[in-house]
Amino acid sequence: TVGGTAADTATLSGLYGATPGGTITFGLYAEGGCPAGGAPTGTAVFTSTKTVTGNGDYTSDPFTTTAAGTYYWVASYSGDGNNTPAMTDCGDTNETLTVIEFGTICGYKCIQDCHEKECGLPGWTITLYHASNGTEYASTITGVGGKYQFDHVPYGTYWVNETLIAGWKQITPNKMVTLNDANPVAI
């Protein structure tokens, strides 16, 4: 998620010499700067260099995510007197980092034409569905005052749907909401 951290690990094996040396540089590239199956063409959004002290695992410094998107790790080994340089390709297996953003969807289930907190209806089931395919994302029950809230919802478009209770009539239709940078909280 945006604000989280990520790191990459490279494994060196089969290197020759008493103590293979050189460096490994980890680069993280945005989607447009890293064509699948090839070398990066853009500037890395993050780099971390580690000194090689033999065969084994090397891990980059942590990268703190700042924007949603798809990113690709590339590890480059500099080589040394006994070993040739090497680099992973963009889009190698398990080298993709997908960063998503989250928002909040909240509201109240109330008696029609009543805008007082006393008019909220507790105990109603409110369900979020993905608008793209109709699958359920999450469900909750309205609390005191009729409030419902879904936190940490990935950006996207959702249907907010109430489960009708016998004896009641739905007045307001189910609502479609979109979470994005311009609208991180939908009410």
Side-chain angles (χ1 to χ4, degrees):
T1 60
V2 172
T5 60
D8 191 29
T9 300
T11 302
L12 290 179
S13 62
L15 297 180
Y16 300 104
T19 303
T23 59
I24 295 179
T25 300
F26 295 91
L28 187 62
Y29 294 85
E31 193 164 17
C34 198
T41 58
T43 301
V45 296
F46 171 80
T47 59
S48 172
T49 301
K50 298 296 176 182
T51 300
V52 172
T53 58
N55 291 313
D57 292 339
Y58 294 88
T59 301
S60 71
D61 292 327
F63 166 69
T64 300
T65 60
T66 58
T70 302
Y71 301 88
Y72 301 97
W73 288 104
V74 174
S76 300
Y77 172 58
S78 67
D80 64 14
N82 296 311
N83 300 284
T84 58
M87 181 173 68
T88 61
D89 287 332
C90 290
D92 275 356
T93 303
N94 298 321
E95 295 300 315
T96 301
L97 172 64
T98 302
V99 180
I100 58 175
E101 291 191 270
F102 293 100
T104 298
I105 297 174
C106 58
Y108 291 90
K109 174 65 182 162
C110 298
I111 296 173
Q112 182 185 13
D113 297 330
C114 181
H115 302 289
E116 303 295 324
K117 287 185 179 180
E118 303 84 46
C119 299
L121 297 170
W124 283 67
T125 301
I126 307 295
T127 306
L128 277 185
Y129 292 95
H130 293 278
S132 62
N133 60 19
T135 60
E136 183 177 325
Y137 173 74
S139 186
T140 191
I141 305 295
T142 58
V144 175
K147 184 174 182 177
Y148 64 87
Q149 185 163 323
F150 298 93
D151 291 316
H152 302 302
V153 179
Y155 279 10
T157 302
Y158 299 87
W159 279 103
V160 180
N161 186 327
E162 67 181 37
T163 300
L164 195 58
I165 294 177
W168 289 84
K169 180 179 176 185
Q170 185 177 27
I171 303 298
T172 304
N174 295 322
K175 182 178 179 181
M176 182 182 284
V177 297
T178 298
L179 295 176
N180 55 35
D181 285 338
N183 190 43
V185 177
I187 299 174

